[in-house]
Amino acid sequence: MMFALAGCWINGLFIKNLDNLLEHKITSRLYLYHSQQEKLEKDVSKFLNDSRALAPQIQKKLDFYQEQIKAGQLSAKKVQKEFEFWQSVANKKLENIASKHIGLLAGLNQEQQKHFFEEMEEKNQEKKEKIAKKLMERIFERFEFYFDELNEQQKKVLNEEKDFFFKRDKQRLKDAKAFQKQLKALYEENAKLAQFKKLAKKSIHELFSAERTKKHATIVHKLIEASDKQGKKNLLKKLSEFKGWIKTFQETKY
């Protein structure tokens, strides 16, 4: 799941440096002291090394997807089941890394808190501006990563569902602002770590709501059904690339 977020330029070098990239993703909003940075590095390495145990299962999943697409048997029901599986995996993994990340947040001093909230405000403003533009090209690009190029029927599917994507993005921005407000309240209360972890878990479950996942699965199935011969060929090729990235991930010691 984490590899699909990387974009078209992902390759073996990217996979081998996931630890550095994940650390950068976290610290891009945090001003950490040396001891905090060292702890983050250890936590990220452990998270990635533990996650390698999933590689064989993911490889089997990718093999299954290729077989089903070739046979034209990837039904809406099967796609829904797979989305539910990945939602479950994502929830567990995000809760794992978030429990470490939230520990860092809970330990920030006032100067560090100020920096973090300034970064959050900037990111939220960027999201707000993107949502205001309502550019369908943004939505197309997300799925072109898998199909290489969308045909007119696939673009029609996405255009018909544009309200879902824009509402989803608005809700995520709303959730981010609510998280920020609740986090500030915890700092003001000098809350215990358990309360910070509870907030992190709540925000993750809001990110992957069952209703949203079901709708997303329906859209993806429609896109697969609407794909032409070249589109299916591109999708199969992308799945083969995923398998290569998973193999590299499994073999890399972080």
Side-chain angles (χ1 to χ4, degrees), residues 8 21 34 40 54 56 75 79 87 92 123 143 152 162 165-166 177 187 193 198 206 229 237 240 244 250:
C8 303
L21 293 163
H34 182 67
L40 173 63
L54 280 172
S75 65
V79 173
Q87 176 181 304
K92 290 176 183 177
K123 292 293 181 182
F143 293 96
E152 290 306 311
K162 62 183 179 182
F165 290 108
F166 294 138
K177 289 182 176 180
Y187 284 130
L193 178 59
K198 185 178 179 180
E206 288 173 347
K229 186 176 180 180
K237 181 181 177 182
S240 292
Q250 185 179 16

Side-chain angles (χ1 to χ4, degrees), residues 82-95:
E82 292 306 307
F83 264 75
E84 289 171 357
F85 166 79
W86 287 113
Q87 176 181 304
S88 175
V89 171
N91 276 342
K92 290 176 183 177
K93 285 299 172 184
L94 284 174
E95 282 181 18

Side-chain angles (χ1 to χ4, degrees), residues 85-250:
F85 166 79
W86 287 113
Q87 176 181 304
S88 175
V89 171
N91 276 342
K92 290 176 183 177
K93 285 299 172 184
L94 284 174
E95 282 181 18
N96 183 299
I97 193 65
S99 68
K100 307 295 184 183
H101 185 196
I102 203 69
L104 285 174
L105 287 181
L108 298 182
N109 61 31
Q110 289 188 346
E111 181 186 359
Q112 291 173 311
Q113 291 171 27
K114 182 175 181 294
H115 175 82
F116 175 71
F117 286 122
E118 287 173 351
E119 288 293 319
M120 278 201 76
E121 288 286 356
E122 185 177 332
K123 292 293 181 182
N124 287 341
Q125 183 58 36
E126 289 175 4
K127 290 176 185 177
K128 184 178 180 180
E129 290 172 2
K130 284 182 179 180
I131 292 170
K133 291 179 181 178
K134 290 189 176 182
L135 296 176
M136 279 306 298
E137 284 77 9
R138 252 190 325 122
I139 310 302
F140 293 158
E141 286 175 3
R142 295 179 192 177
F143 293 96
E144 284 172 350
F145 173 65
Y146 302 97
F147 295 96
D148 192 33
E149 185 176 348
L150 299 175
N151 61 35
E152 290 306 311
Q153 185 60 33
Q154 289 173 314
K155 289 181 179 179
K156 182 181 177 182
V157 168
L158 293 175
N159 274 312
E160 289 173 349
E161 301 288 357
K162 62 183 179 182
D163 286 346
F164 164 74
F165 290 108
F166 294 138
K167 286 178 181 178
R168 183 193 63 177
D169 289 345
K170 285 182 179 179
Q171 185 60 49
R172 286 181 174 174
L173 176 58
K174 183 178 178 181
D175 291 343
K177 289 182 176 180
F179 175 82
Q180 182 178 352
K181 183 178 180 181
Q182 292 169 59
L183 186 60
K184 283 183 177 180
L186 291 181
Y187 284 130
E188 292 170 359
E189 297 166 8
N190 291 317
K192 294 182 179 179
L193 178 59
Q195 292 174 276
F196 283 89
K197 287 186 175 183
K198 185 178 179 180
L199 174 59
K201 187 173 182 177
K202 176 176 174 287
S203 67
I204 289 169
H205 282 277
E206 288 173 347
L207 181 63
F208 295 104
S209 71
E211 181 182 353
R212 211 178 295 168
T213 297
K214 184 177 181 180
K215 181 64 175 178
H216 206 166
T218 300
I219 293 171
V220 168
H221 179 256
K222 287 181 180 179
L223 289 175
I224 294 173
E225 289 293 293
S227 62
D228 52 27
K229 186 176 180 180
Q230 185 60 47
K232 286 187 171 68
K233 184 177 178 181
N234 292 337
L235 181 56
L236 290 169
K237 181 181 177 182
K238 182 60 67 176
L239 290 170
S240 292
E241 289 178 12
F242 286 168
K243 287 159 71 173
W245 303 339
I246 295 295
K247 185 174 185 296
T248 300
F249 177 63
Q250 185 179 16

